Amino acid sequence: MPALCRSVPYEIPKLELTFFLVAALAVFFVALSKSGLVASLGVIGVPLLTLVMPARDAAGMMLPLLIVMDVIALIAYRREVDWKVFWILLPGAMVGTLVAFSLSAVVSESMVRLAIGLITLAFVLDAWLPLRRKLQGLPPSRPWGTFWGSIAGFTSFVSHTGGPPVQIYMLPMRLPPALFAGTNAVFFAVVNASKIPFYFVLGQLSLANMQVALYLVPVAIAGMVLGVFLVRRIDAGLFYRVAYALIFLLALKLIYDGITGLFFA
């Protein structure tokens, strides 16, 4: 049962410089991702935090910060949302969230990282082949969007790595950067809000996690403000070249983390 996965409380490192530098760096990268500037960067947030704190606590600590970022993103992009894409993705995401909660006792983060890394790598390699170029510009597919939405809901619940599945669905549409960012902002705001009661049941929203999150709110706000400022000024072609390159590197990182976690931990 999911209740068996309740996190064990841990002590916050007493102002250890390394802890807060790593945590601040992770939050800043996630904030840039949430702003829509480099959407793939959000994948490294929880894995980076696991260097200095338990994995489940890292996910729990990040959730309230993600919600703060969601509020900023919604304010910035409230008029720039592709609602058709949003409503295609959302039902699958809710199903994926429920499945992840139900399987939280048996599915390890290493399994999820390896799976999402392999899927993301296949997506990027396909995007660089002529076939993907022929598929660009087609109208959004509801079955395809429901599938990737469910994967995004599942991976977002486990380790806040819902970005790559959504990008697999959305990047070929070649939306303007601000519209891409706005659609992501609304989608993940709803997904993150839906995780709150489940994280509470699993014990991931502990007092210690909330205290660390409070310290890092200014970093989250700074990263979001910088990202929103830049995303409206970046060239669309450059935006997508950078996005695909970063997703490729992060896919390799996720595969490495998944393999080492499964076979060498």
Side-chain angles (χ1 to χ4, degrees):
M1 295 295 293
L4 296 178
C5 294
R6 186 177 297 273
S7 295
V8 177
Y10 71 102
E11 293 185 1
I12 302 171
K14 296 180 179 179
L15 298 179
E16 286 186 5
L17 182 60
T18 301
F19 175 87
F20 284 104
L21 284 178
V22 172
L25 187 63
V27 171
F28 186 75
F29 282 157
V30 172
L32 288 179
S33 168
K34 294 287 288 181
S35 74
L37 180 63
V38 277
S40 57
L41 269 182
V43 177
I44 69 175
V46 171
L48 189 57
L49 282 170
T50 59
L51 297 176
V52 293
M53 65 192 303
R56 290 188 181 276
D57 286 301
M61 186 274 288
M62 186 62 74
L63 183 58
L65 290 168
L66 288 173
I67 292 172
V68 170
M69 299 174 201
D70 288 334
V71 172
I72 298 172
L74 290 173
I75 293 172
Y77 298 116
R78 63 189 181 279
R79 295 186 179 90
E80 296 171 285
V81 181
D82 189 319
W83 290 106
K84 181 177 182 179
V85 173
F86 169 80
W87 286 114
I88 288 174
L89 287 167
L90 187 62
M94 295 298 98
V95 172
T97 298
L98 289 172
V99 172
F101 174 69
S102 301
L103 298 179
S104 58
V106 295
V107 176
S108 71
E109 292 173 32
S110 295
M111 295 177 188
V112 173
R113 289 178 193 171
L114 179 58
I116 199 65
L118 290 172
I119 292 170
T120 305
L121 180 61
F123 159 69
V124 175
L125 294 177
D126 177 64
W128 288 339
L129 297 174
L131 176 62
R132 174 61 67 176
R133 297 191 187 99
K134 294 177 183 178
L135 294 176
Q136 288 179 358
L138 294 178
S141 164
R142 184 170 296 277
W144 196 234
T146 301
F147 171 76
W148 287 116
S150 65
I151 300 298
F154 187 94
T155 57
S156 178
F157 185 92
V158 175
S159 57
H160 304 311
T161 52
V166 171
Q167 291 162 34
I168 289 173
Y169 180 63
M170 289 184 60
L171 281 177
M173 299 177 193
R174 307 294 293 185
L175 298 174
L179 188 62
F180 179 91
T183 306
N184 268 277
V186 176
F187 173 74
F188 281 109
V190 175
V191 170
N192 287 330
S194 74
K195 292 186 283 188
I196 293 174
F198 300 121
Y199 270 44
F200 179 78
V201 170
L202 295 175
Q204 291 176 257
L205 294 178
S206 65
L207 180 61
N209 288 340
M210 298 303 98
Q211 188 174 347
V212 174
L214 182 63
Y215 294 152
L216 295 169
V217 166
V219 179
I221 294 174
M224 284 294 299
V225 171
L226 176 62
V228 169
F229 174 80
L230 294 176
V231 79
R232 297 183 185 277
R233 292 159 177 81
I234 191 171
D235 174 74
L238 176 62
F239 174 87
Y240 282 100
R241 286 194 297 274
V242 171
Y244 277 111
L246 287 174
I247 292 171
F248 174 74
L249 294 175
L250 290 168
L252 298 180
K253 175 67 166 60
L254 285 169
I255 292 170
Y256 173 81
D257 288 345
I259 292 174
T260 54
L262 283 173
F263 301 109
F264 302 104

